[in-house]
Structures are given as structure tokens and as C-alpha cells.
Amino acid sequence: MKMLVVGSGGREHALVWKIAQSPRVKKIYCAPGSAGIARQAECVDISVGDIPSLARFAAKESIDLTVVGPEAPLAAGIVDEFRKSGIPIFGPDRRAAEIESSKSFAKGLMRVNSIPTAAYWVFDEYNQLESFLKGTKYPVVLKADGLAAGKGVAICGDRDQAMALGHAMMTEKVFGEAGRRVVVEEFMTGQEVSIIALVAGDAVAVLEPSQDHKQANDGDEGPNTGGMGAYSPVPAVTEPVWQRIERDIIIPTVHGMNREERPYFGALYFGLMLTPAGPQVLEYNCRFGDPETQPLMMRLETDLVDLLEASLKGTLGDSALSWHDGASICVVLASGGYPGSYKKGLPITGIEEADEMEDVVVFHAGTTKSDDQWRTAGGRVVGVTARGSGIADARDRAYEAVKKIAFEGMRYRTDIGAKALI
Ligand code: AMP
Ligand code: GLY
């Protein structure tokens, strides 16, 4: 088979790495890919936003299956475009992708289907938001309705902060059109967990739980980032919690999408909070998680290509997933200054040495290579991912590998997976 992966980050590297292990795959392309991804795939210089060129490339090369990493091309209708031309692609169409690209659609879906989530209010006019904020209890969570690259959400501790942010979103348009409508949510507490399901209409294959670490600093302090590390499985998801998630959240979401006449095909990500009242949905994403995909692909034993193909053929429901015993963990090494501004082009040492360790893979998120020298090229630079007999073992191994890598200003969290060991 010939495969095409769309994207260039750590998540796409993990997908490419896993796909490359399938004996059925003869050739993998990645658009645009990266120097790290180039070890397993031929990189094609087409950006993720250039949907017509991606479709032309897939048609010309007779790609058997395309997998899309990031949300933006899905929200922009890449799946609709490929389907129009009869090119096989794994992902939701534009209307189904609204489960991520419109928070008000997602909240409405949850309300109609009684899916547990925080209470919420939707505002299209700033003066209505302002009068609501004058009368509500704090903290509250403010969310831009549309896609804002993970930056459109803030927990506001008081009225002044909430009003300033609401004004910035709705009047000053700091997130452009994405912030024209604002969703206010009740504040929830608890551990967060990520569940990714492969979905094809009614059929669902749920991957094992994982946990992201969104804040920049140890102890969940500091600003939100794209994710500083992840591990799987998550001991906080006990068997009864798992059953509730499946019965009260996953199944009603999938059925709800069918009833909306937006049947879901592709990876569906449930960002959950395990609150004292049970698991509640924080958000949906219309794609695989980043960095959750890195530890998940290291643990998944089943051939990913078989699963993706079963989704397209309508046989996903028969799929049995098998996993390597133990656990896996990914520690993200970020540029100094991330998620704010940071330098690029700094030389990196030790990547090969870390990669050579047993059961360790360095997934590249933002690197370049020239004259045999790796250099930084993004906020999140690499995700050092290790598998072990359990979380403690995987963690020791990952941090041992991290010690081999260095670049100026390199920073990372030292407590990835720590919650699982309490
Ligand atoms: P979202 O993009 O909607 O997942 O929000 C990003 C992050 O903000 C989440 O991962 C949570 O850490 C936090 N968050 C979002 N909604 C809430 C909420 N209702 N209560 C508490 N924290 C929240
Ligand atoms: N890890 C969070 C996300 O993929 O959105």
C-alpha cells in the first residue's frame, strides 16, 4: 500500500513511525513532513493548507490511504475534497469536524444527548457577555467559539480579567473570527484524561487512555501549551470509570453525530475531566492528540494500517486492539521561552544517542537538519518517548534518554507521569 500522512509535527512523526512497521506498506509520503519524519517517509513539499495540491498529489500517486494530523485542514474540508475525487482518506468531513471547530456546536451536541459537561452560556454580543459577567460567580472559563490554535481558552479568576478577555475576543478580535462568539463555562476540577477513538459511523474502536500535561511548568503551573508530555495507560481511569466514559460519553457522542446527520469518520478525541461527580467532557478534537499519539503509537501492537483500513471498509467494529504490556511516556523538550517567543536554529546534540536506547524513540516536532547537524525549528522540539514495564520504568527510561539531549535554553517538565505514581 501507498500511504500519505498530512502534517509535520510530533504526532505525525509517531503516525508515520507506526505505519512504517506495517508489512503491508510499501511507501509512505508525508506532506510537508520534516527532517525527522524523512527517516521513515518521503517528504513532499505541500503545506497542510493547500488542499487542492494535496488531492492532486494523492490522485497522481494513487495513494491508497491518506491520514490527516492537524485540525485546520479537516475543518477546511480536506476530507470532502478527497471524497469528491474518490480518493480514500481517514478523517471527518467539514461538518463533522465542527465537533472541534465550533465549541457552541459541540456544547449543543452534549446538551441534546445528555453528555456530562460543564454548564455553559453562549454570547454573540459583548454587552450581553458583560452583563452576564457582572452577575456570575468566579472562576469561570472563557472560550473563543472557533479554532484559536489552543490559545482561545482562559480560566478567569475575577470579573475584571473575564471582561478584559471577553472584550479582547469580541471587540478587539484578537482571535479574528474565532472569537466573535464566546462560550462561558462553569469551572470544573479534577484530573484530565484524553481518550481517542477510531470511529466509522456507528462502529468504534477506543484506544487506551492517555494523559497530557498542558501547562508549561512542573506542578501544572504556568501558561497553557500545546502539551509538554503524555503517558498511557492512566491508572485514574479505573474499570468503572472506563465503563462510564464509554456508556455516558463515547457512545452517545457517536450516536448523536449520526442523528445530526454528521456521521463521524476518523479519530475522535475526547478531552475529559474526572470530576468528583464523574467524567465530564472538556472538549472534543476531530483528530489524534499531540503529544498523546506519541506514547499511544509506542504501545499499540495492532497494525495501525489494518485499523485505518477497517474504518474505511466498515469493518472497524470487528477490530480487536492489542497493546504492549506496561506503559509508555513522552517527555517534550521545548525551546527556552515557549509558549512565548523563542530562538530557532540552535544546534541540538545527543538525538541519535537517545534514539539508540532500547525502547526509546525520539519523535521530532520542530527540528531541521543541515550538514548532519540537527537544529531547533519550533517551540516543541522533540518528544522523547519510552516504553517500560510500568509507568515508573517507562519514566526512568524517558528521563535517562532526555539527559543525553541538549540545546541552548532547552526546557522540559520533570513531572510527566508523576500523577500516575501517587
Ligand atoms: P479546551 O481547549 O476547551 O480543552 O481547554 C483547554 C484547557 O483549559 C483544558 O485542557 C483544561 O485544562 C482547561 N479547561 C477548559 N474548560 C474547563 C472547565 N470548564 N473547567 C476547568 N478547566 C477547563
Ligand atoms: N494534547 C491536546 C491536543 O492534542 O489538543
Side-chain angles (χ1 to χ4, degrees):
M1 285 175 76
K2 277 170 133 181
M3 305 283 297
L4 169 64
V5 175
V6 175
S8 61
R11 164 185 52 206
E12 289 77 18
H13 192 187
L15 292 171
V16 164
W17 174 84
K18 178 70 184 159
I19 288 168
Q21 290 165 33
S22 171
R24 303 176 51 206
V25 170
K26 288 215 173 60
K27 178 89 191 173
I28 311 173
Y29 294 99
C30 188
S34 70
I37 290 174
R39 285 182 303 172
Q40 287 100 14
E42 183 176 332
C43 296
V44 189
D45 189 17
I46 307 174
S47 75
V48 301
D50 187 355
I51 294 173
S53 298
L54 290 168
R56 267 196 304 275
F57 175 81
K60 182 170 77 75
E61 294 297 332
S62 309
I63 300 292
D64 295 294
L65 185 48
T66 296
V67 188
V68 184
E71 64 277 15
L74 294 164
I78 188 172
V79 169
D80 311 60
E81 183 73 24
F82 272 54
R83 284 202 193 134
K84 243 191 321 193
S85 315
I87 314 166
I89 185 164
F90 177 80
D93 65 10
R94 192 183 53 73
R95 290 184 74 243
E98 278 190 21
I99 200 164
E100 172 169 2
S101 65
S102 167
K103 293 207 187 276
S104 52
F105 168 72
K107 292 298 274 188
L109 178 81
M110 290 184 253
R111 178 182 280 177
V112 169
N113 294 284
S114 307
I115 295 164
T117 188
Y120 73 105
W121 302 266
V122 179
F123 297 94
D124 286 308
E125 303 287 345
Y126 177 68
N127 55 4
Q128 286 169 1
L129 172 67
E130 191 177 27
S131 48
F132 175 85
L133 292 175
K134 281 182 184 154
T136 192
K137 282 195 306 206
Y138 287 86
V140 291
V141 186
L142 246 66
K143 301 187 173 186
D145 186 57
L147 292 179
K151 299 194 181 105
V153 174
I155 294 157
C156 299
D158 59 46
R159 189 206 282 190
D160 288 350
Q161 193 191 352
M163 282 203 203
L165 181 64
H167 193 267
M169 285 185 188
M170 296 184 88
T171 311
E172 297 156 39
K173 300 244 163 41
V174 288
F175 300 121
E177 287 303 295
R180 226 167 58 149
R181 170 179 283 180
V182 166
V183 176
V184 179
E185 275 185 25
E186 158 203 25
F187 177 71
M188 298 190 291
T189 54
Q191 273 202 55
E192 288 186 39
V193 44
S194 310
I195 307 280
I196 299 169
L198 308 181
V199 181
D202 272 328
V204 184
V206 189
L207 306 185
E208 293 240 322
S210 53
Q211 188 172 61
D212 189 6
H213 296 64
K214 288 206 170 99
Q215 291 82 5
N217 305 327
D218 282 2
D220 293 338
E221 302 280 345
N224 251 338
T225 70
M228 294 299 290
Y231 66 92
S232 170
V234 183
V237 182
T238 56
E239 188 56 34
V241 171
W242 177 253
Q243 282 172 9
R244 269 178 91 164
I245 293 173
E246 210 164 25
R247 184 194 64 203
D248 298 344
I249 296 175
I250 300 177
I251 304 293
T253 299
V254 168
H255 288 170
M257 289 300 277
N258 285 328
R259 272 197 298 275
E260 296 277 336
E261 296 185 358
R262 301 181 194 228
Y264 199 94
F265 289 87
L268 179 53
Y269 171 117
F270 301 78
L272 308 180
M273 194 172 266
L274 306 180
T275 74
Q280 308 241 2
V281 178
L282 285 169
E283 63 165 347
Y284 295 112
N285 291 321
C286 63
R287 51 173 172 78
F288 288 98
D290 190 346
E292 291 93 329
T293 302
Q294 289 82 315
L296 285 173
M297 289 304 118
M298 268 200 90
R299 281 196 60 221
L300 181 65
E301 216 167 29
T302 314
D303 187 330
L304 179 65
V305 176
D306 287 347
L307 291 173
L308 300 176
E309 202 183 40
S311 306
L312 293 187
K313 284 193 174 151
T315 55
L316 181 67
D318 311 329
S319 305
L321 300 185
S322 58
W323 297 87
H324 288 287
D325 288 340
S328 57
I329 181 163
C330 168
V331 179
V332 170
L333 307 185
S335 294
Y338 175 77
S341 59
Y342 49 82
K343 285 196 217 162
K344 287 185 188 176
L346 302 169
I348 314 169
T349 56
I351 287 187
E352 276 84 7
E353 231 181 299
D355 239 341
E356 277 161 16
M357 282 176 60
E358 201 183 335
D359 289 332
V360 172
V361 182
V362 179
F363 292 118
H364 290 243
T367 65
T368 54
K369 194 176 196 183
S370 57
D371 300 329
D372 246 15
Q373 173 67 59
W374 289 107
R375 290 182 186 275
T376 64
R380 291 190 290 177
V381 177
V382 290
V384 178
T385 311
R387 199 166 61 208
S389 58
I391 288 168
D393 181 43
R395 197 166 177 256
D396 288 348
R397 198 175 300 227
Y399 279 109
E400 196 187 324
V402 164
K403 287 206 191 81
K404 298 185 189 295
I405 300 179
F407 53 88
E408 186 194 315
M410 173 174 118
R411 52 182 310 275
Y412 58 92
R413 279 183 62 162
T414 63
D415 63 348
I416 305 301
K419 278 197 208 98
L421 299 173
I422 295 167

